[in-house]
Amino acid sequence: MSKSVKPAPPTTLVIFGAFGDLTRRLLMPALINMTRLGLVGGDFHVLGVGIDEGNDQALRDALGNFDAKGGEGAGEKGDAWARLKDRVGYLQGDFTKDDVYAQLKSRVSGNVAFYLAVPAKFFGEIVDKLADHGLMREDAHAFRRIAIEKPFGHDLASARALNARILAKVSEAQVYRIDHFLGKETVQNIMTARFANMMIERVWNADCIAHVQITAAETVDVGTRGKFYDATGALRDMVPNHLFQLLAMVAMEPPASFDAEAIRNEKGKVLKAVRVYSPAKAKRNGVRGTYTAGTVKGNAVPAYTASADVAPDSRTETYVALKLMVDTWRWAGVPFYLRTGKAMTCRDTEIAITFKPVPFASFPGAPADMLPPNRLIIQIQPDEGLSMDINIKRPGLEVATAPIALDFRYADAFDIGHLTGYESLIYDLFVGDQTLFQRADAIEAGWAAVQPFLDLWASDTSTPELYEAGSMGPTAADALLAHDDHSWHELAPAGQTVP
Ligand code: BG6
């Protein structure tokens, strides 16, 4: 963590959904890491709220038992958990009823952050009740903030309605809309790579860049998430949030300062510049797919439609590829290709920037259009790093060229492997830094850009194209790029570079 390590001010974190999966798998490991790193001190408290029967001890037992995946080594975990656990409490109650808020009022004082780790349908109601019970009232000595997980809305209209409902009761400065991709170190590095390097930012425009590809390929299949996933699909689950955050980092203009609002202004502006397609254009620029039975990393995966809690005739997509345009001077004419899918051949989240070919070259046997273009790959996960494809002279008497990759792997230089990604987001929530959180206008701009695809796929009778589990996705996604004479950057398993 690159922050100057100064403990956050004394805070109580109230977690709605105390016994839930998110709390156990991600929030608690992050809070333990924060305790270990001194990002929170002995004046930090956790109060879980939930419907499950139990008391303080029951919650401590449930949370202490977590699988430390993404967390630190067992010994250190034990030590930090031993220090934190007596400051973890539980309030049992139904958060759709007023009673629990009255009790909450008598249990918290001073700085309080409320974390909504609950299904999205409760977000509006919880915020209303917190505000109606006076729990969101701040003063000069105490902040009151709300952290809201995704999904923030399920389309443009519902996202707008949720923003309006929340902002009728609390101010934007109190709302921290979480996108966990922004907690990833390498996502934050995109801004540094661009704005701390003259040689990158100077060529970061339509004069030099041919196209941008943003990929989030996953090997996991829908597994036990059928109920949520079948009502959601790959587009809603990944694009207006995670992939658009990456797009905003790549495409935003340099902010005038590194203040949260200056950065959020630029991200908001560029997301509003993503072209909103007509239905006919959406049809030409979007591909959806669903996986059939196959093998992923040596394991048999059943077809999506044979998964638990998925309708056998489901038309929900597990893969999506889009060609988007960003209508600004900087990006005029540069396609942004986005793709994401489940049950694919390997896990690979990356941004591939392909530069234009050199205009002229007289190397024997390598006319300009035969030289491979320069390419910058920002590898988000796994195997975090940056790599740049350039052409060099092949050793020997002949003047011949050879493509090579300049490769930087984070793991070779730094230790970034032991955090969950939530540490920096929760720390920022406590210190009041909204840089890595989504503002209402940016959320709505993201939904506006994907709405034509949602409408199209809800209204037409076609079904998603099939792709085999363990493959690179449907062939129509290849055709989307082939139409522009481009091709997808090949997905590479961790540690292996594709030539
Ligand atoms: C979540 C989606 O928001 O992000 C999941 O709901 C997806 O479907 C996950 O698997 C991907 O996150 P990460 O950090 O594993 O790349």
Side-chain angles (χ1 to χ4, degrees), residues 150 180-181 184 218 220 225 228-229 237-238 242 342 347 349 381:
K150 76 175 259 281
H180 81 274
F181 263 46
K184 296 181 193 290
E218 299 187 273
V220 288
R225 297 174 76 210
F228 159 79
Y229 200 86
D237 191 34
M238 296 291 288
H242 304 326
K342 299 266 185 231
R347 180 167 186 242
T349 305
Q381 62 186 16

Side-chain angles (χ1 to χ4, degrees), residues 211 285 323 325 335 337 478-487:
H211 59 98
N285 290 299
K323 172 183 170 181
M325 303 304 290
Y337 302 108
D478 298 335
L480 184 71
L481 270 69
H483 183 261
D484 298 340
D485 278 335
H486 300 315
S487 57

Side-chain angles (χ1 to χ4, degrees), residues 81-108:
W81 174 238
R83 276 185 281 143
L84 179 61
K85 76 169 188 270
D86 292 341
R87 285 178 274 123
V88 174
Y90 185 56
L91 172 59
Q92 195 266 333
D94 179 349
F95 46 67
T96 64
K97 304 272 172 358
D98 287 300
D99 180 46
V100 87
Y101 298 86
Q103 290 189 55
L104 201 46
K105 228 176 152 180
S106 64
R107 288 203 46 182
V108 296

Side-chain angles (χ1 to χ4, degrees), residues 24-26 29 62-72 77:
R24 192 172 36 81
R25 263 187 334 104
L26 291 164
L63 296 179
N65 222 349
F66 69 87
D67 159 18
K69 193 167 140 217
E72 79 283 36
K77 167 194 145 194

